[in-house]
Amino acid sequence: MVSSRRQSITLLLLAFCVAVCFLQLRQCCAEKEEGLEFSDHRSFGEEEEEVEDFDDDSYKGYDSEEFDESAFDFSTFGEAVDEKDVVVLGAANFTAFVKANKYVLVEFYAPWCGHCKSLLPEWAKAATILKGEVPLVKVDATKHGDLAREYGVEGYPSLFFFVEGAHRPYTGDRTSGDIVAWVRKKMGPPVEIIKSVSDAEKLLHVDSPLAIAYVEFLEGRHAEEFTAVASEEDGVLFYMTNDDTIALVFGLEKKTPSVVLLKQEDEKVSTFDGTFERKALSNFVSENKIPLVVAFNLETAEWIFQNELIRQVLLLVDPVEYEKIRPAYYEVAKIFRGKILFVLVDLANKEVASPVVDFFMLPADKTSILGFVADEEAHKYLYEGDFSLDSLKNFGDKFLVDDLPLYFKSAPIPEKNDDAVKVVVGHNFDEIVLDDSKDVLLEVYAPWCGHCRALEPVYNELGKVMQNISSIVIAKMDGTQNEHIRVKPEGFPTLLFFPAGKKSENPLSWDAERTVQSFVQLLMKHATIPFTRPEIPERDGGDTDLDGMEGDSEQFDYEKHLGSLPETEISTLSEAELKDEL
């Protein structure tokens, strides 16, 4: 998974785009009006269903465990999906089925998982195509948690390919064509020999990318080099011929060895011009198998976020304006192929664009280009030039070396800001928080955070208590909509103290009992500018406290709690408990 591969949750920031759509789909599962309640990660300061026994002679009975459509609304995905060829298994019959079949492709899923829903129609299509060759299985991991844990399932969906009982992760893409190609490739030889011109002409209409090699001999060094690459690369079908007539179908002349890669994209043909050896061939296939410009949607989002190209350029544009920009955007994508991933977000498609627009705080009615680096720092750069090729290329060159002004998202500055707790956004952060004449306590919160909501009445009361002390500012900032180089929250709420006269130093992280009394005591201890202790109103039952909240904050972890990319983290809760948690 991407989090373990890169050892960073920052890559998952962009996953919030898809997570918003995912959360909308999960609304029908929610039984409480409150926002997401996340588990605590850092200190601040099932009974299984009966499934029919395995029948050695057929799959009959394996689909008797009905998929619970009440868990979500299928109308989001259009017509109902025909899963007649998908085998439904559980703990009672899984092992027997896998032992009885040489090849099995298995999906561990959760009914509420957005990515599982997206995979559903593709999985069903692939099951029908592969019927009689390889059974495609699904297992509800929320009902069969022990089985999922046995196979090391850590997210949804988790896909495994079993060969004679031994399993390995499925590493292909998640369209039906890619699933079929990947499975057939693992079952048979990595390279197929094209035997006739008619077979070659049929390949011109295949949706999956094709790598075609024209060699002098079907055995020998060149064939072995090409076959070695085919064994490693997923998402591409590999074919070979030594017939010059067949080679001409693909535009290959009589020069051998030669390779072309064909795609059903704007850039239909890529020709290999390097040394015919394994590393060069692998680089060629890896770089050219993906589209020059990837359209962002629910299906491609996972692939985008898993991509090894951590430097990504997002173009947010409507279709009419895109036609004007398209030639230059494609040309610059060619120039930076293999260095930058270029993504297209259609502003006219609100379902797709709105999460991206909202997450990055970009205009929904204006063309924008944003450079995003998916590493620990998650730097962002907003493009401000025209859409000429020279200007775009200049942006790309500077983007590669981080020679651009950083972009920080910000909500609009509030027209009125005279409440006891001041509202801080990205654009007024310096004015309020970095005012050298003030001691400033800042809460960075998230609207969905349960701990933040529990803290709110205490924090508001603190603001009122300190309101008449001119040297003290009690402030709050929505950390999901605002950023600043001086604030990098790892959890919510994050409480930071910026002392007067020391704004160039790192702020103090506050680890304290969350009562008004405690806050006041700490302010008196750490404030640069002395002040007289204010009177704290008495409450019935004593001072306001947050029972069980001391020292807690909610981890800012998109992967675990927002159905992130590429997988949704498994909860140990039952399905009913999951609904309660929502």
Side-chain angles (χ1 to χ4, degrees):
M1 295 192 302
V2 71
S3 58
S4 58
R5 182 181 65 192
R6 296 185 183 169
Q7 298 298 311
S8 170
I9 68 167
T10 310
L11 179 60
L12 297 168
L13 290 174
L14 199 52
F16 189 70
C17 308
V18 176
V20 173
C21 296
F22 165 69
L23 290 173
Q24 291 172 347
L25 292 171
R26 289 182 66 179
Q27 284 177 352
C28 57
C29 295
E31 293 184 351
K32 293 185 178 181
E33 292 184 343
E34 292 182 297
L36 291 174
E37 294 289 344
F38 295 173
S39 60
D40 302 331
H41 290 277
R42 95 180 161 90
S43 173
F44 186 81
E46 92 199 27
E47 195 175 288
E48 295 187 344
E49 217 175 79
E50 287 290 326
V51 185
E52 292 186 28
D53 289 338
F54 172 62
D55 180 352
D56 285 327
D57 299 322
S58 71
Y59 300 157
K60 186 177 181 181
Y62 280 97
D63 55 359
S64 61
E65 184 181 15
E66 292 298 328
F67 189 68
D68 184 8
E69 297 188 11
S70 65
F72 57 86
D73 183 2
F74 276 99
S75 64
T76 309
F77 294 91
E79 296 181 2
V81 177
D82 185 357
E83 295 185 273
K84 65 181 184 301
D85 297 315
V86 176
V87 182
V88 180
L89 297 179
N93 54 12
F94 184 87
T95 302
F97 187 87
V98 168
K99 286 182 178 179
N101 291 273
K102 181 176 181 179
Y103 301 107
V104 183
L105 185 60
V106 178
E107 174 200 8
F108 287 90
Y109 74 97
W112 44 257
C113 166
H115 301 303
C116 303
K117 298 172 193 177
S118 177
L119 177 63
L120 182 65
E122 302 300 323
W123 195 254
K125 291 176 189 175
T128 298
I129 295 171
L130 290 170
K131 185 177 182 180
E133 298 179 57
V134 177
L136 265 67
V137 168
K138 68 177 185 179
V139 177
D140 185 343
T142 67
K143 295 180 179 178
H144 305 286
D146 289 342
L147 181 63
R149 283 185 285 275
E150 179 183 342
Y151 288 97
V153 174
E154 295 180 347
Y156 298 131
S158 284
L159 311 178
F160 298 103
F161 187 57
F162 287 76
V163 180
E164 295 182 341
H167 71 287
R168 54 162 291 184
Y170 171 85
T171 57
D173 291 331
R174 295 186 182 176
T175 67
S176 58
D178 289 320
I179 293 169
V180 170
W182 190 94
V183 169
R184 285 177 173 167
K185 185 174 177 180
K186 301 305 176 187
M187 292 172 59
V191 178
E192 290 190 36
I193 307 302
I194 308 172
K195 298 179 179 179
S196 68
V197 170
S198 61
D199 287 344
E201 290 173 342
K202 291 177 183 177
L203 290 176
L204 295 176
H205 305 288
V206 173
D207 290 335
S208 299
L210 308 176
I212 314 292
Y214 176 33
V215 295
E216 186 175 1
F217 303 106
L218 296 179
E219 296 181 357
R221 185 176 68 83
H222 292 149
E224 289 171 359
E225 295 286 336
F226 187 69
T227 301
V229 175
S231 299
E232 297 173 349
E233 286 288 340
D234 290 326
V236 179
L237 299 178
F238 287 78
Y239 293 87
M240 188 161 54
T241 183
N242 65 343
D243 187 308
D244 56 355
T245 305
I246 292 174
L248 284 173
V249 174
F250 306 106
L252 293 168
E253 303 296 335
K254 292 188 176 181
K255 177 186 175 183
T256 61
S258 54
V259 174
V260 293
L261 193 140
L262 310 179
K263 301 191 297 286
Q264 299 297 335
E265 305 285 346
D266 287 354
E267 185 191 39
K268 295 186 180 301
V269 181
S270 300
T271 303
F272 177 68
D273 59 2
T275 303
F276 206 94
E277 53 87 25
R278 182 172 177 174
K279 184 176 181 181
L281 286 168
S282 179
N283 290 339
F284 166 76
V285 173
S286 180
E287 290 180 6
N288 288 277
K289 68 182 181 181
I290 66 175
L292 275 173
V293 176
V294 182
F296 181 90
N297 53 50
L298 189 61
E299 287 71 36
T300 62
E302 175 186 341
W303 180 87
I304 292 170
F305 304 138
Q306 281 186 310
N307 203 279
E308 292 296 332
L309 294 178
I310 64 172
R311 292 187 181 269
Q312 303 173 358
V313 170
L314 285 75
L315 169 62
L316 291 79
V317 63
D318 66 60
V320 174
E321 188 67 21
Y322 181 56
E323 287 306 310
K324 304 174 187 176
I325 302 171
R326 180 174 180 168
Y329 196 61
Y330 262 84
E331 194 60 35
V332 78
K334 287 182 182 179
I335 294 171
F336 294 102
R337 185 202 300 272
K339 299 177 181 178
I340 300 173
L341 181 65
F342 286 79
V343 180
L344 174 66
V345 182
D346 182 4
L347 286 177
N349 187 336
K350 302 301 182 185
E351 183 180 6
V352 168
S354 292
V356 185
V357 166
D358 294 344
F359 184 67
F360 287 112
M361 302 301 291
L362 295 170
D365 57 354
K366 179 184 176 183
T367 299
S368 302
I369 292 181
L370 185 77
F372 175 70
V373 185
D375 61 6
E376 288 79 5
E377 299 298 326
H379 285 162
K380 298 179 289 296
Y381 308 97
L382 188 64
Y383 177 72
E384 295 180 343
D386 58 31
F387 298 107
S388 66
L389 177 58
D390 288 343
S391 183
L392 289 169
K393 182 181 180 302
N394 183 54
F395 178 77
D397 287 331
K398 292 185 175 182
F399 179 41
L400 284 176
V401 294
D402 297 312
D403 186 22
L404 293 164
L406 287 170
Y407 165 77
F408 295 102
K409 60 187 182 181
S410 175
I413 296 177
E415 294 182 5
K416 293 183 179 181
N417 202 4
D418 51 9
D419 289 339
V421 177
K422 304 303 178 187
V423 176
V424 172
V425 297
H427 292 327
N428 69 1
F429 188 97
D430 290 1
E431 175 188 348
I432 297 177
V433 179
L434 300 186
D435 182 347
D436 218 33
S437 67
K438 306 288 185 182
D439 288 299
V440 180
L441 177 62
L442 176 68
E443 177 203 6
V444 185
Y445 71 94
W448 41 256
C449 167
H451 292 326
C452 302
R453 290 194 298 273
L455 175 62
E456 185 175 12
V458 174
Y459 204 69
N460 287 339
E461 184 177 348
L462 174 66
K464 292 176 182 178
V465 167
M466 305 300 296
Q467 193 168 18
N468 294 324
I469 300 175
S470 60
S471 63
I472 296 286
V473 174
I474 308 300
K476 65 180 181 180
M477 183 176 80
D478 182 345
T480 68
Q481 293 194 347
N482 301 280
E483 296 173 320
H484 194 275
I485 197 169
R486 299 293 303 280
V487 175
K488 295 179 181 179
E490 295 180 358
F492 295 124
T494 289
L495 293 168
L496 301 172
F497 183 64
F498 294 79
K502 302 178 181 179
K503 297 304 171 85
S504 61
E505 300 178 7
N506 290 330
L508 301 175
S509 294
W510 282 43
D511 185 4
E513 183 183 6
R514 294 178 187 177
T515 67
V516 175
Q517 292 277 9
S518 296
F519 278 123
V520 171
Q521 289 173 4
L522 283 171
L523 284 170
M524 294 188 69
K525 179 179 179 180
H526 294 286
T528 301
I529 303 172
F531 62 90
T532 303
R533 180 184 178 90
E535 182 178 340
I536 301 175
E538 289 291 332
R539 284 181 173 271
D540 293 339
D543 192 19
T544 303
D545 197 356
L546 303 181
D547 184 25
M549 293 282 292
E550 179 180 347
D552 288 340
S553 75
E554 298 196 26
Q555 186 73 21
F556 190 51
D557 189 342
Y558 291 104
E559 181 175 19
K560 184 168 185 180
H561 300 295
L562 291 180
S564 71
L565 303 175
E567 285 91 9
T568 302
E569 188 80 7
I570 288 181
S571 172
T572 57
L573 302 177
S574 67
E575 186 172 358
E577 290 170 324
L578 277 169
K579 292 180 181 179
D580 286 339
E581 187 184 28
L582 284 168

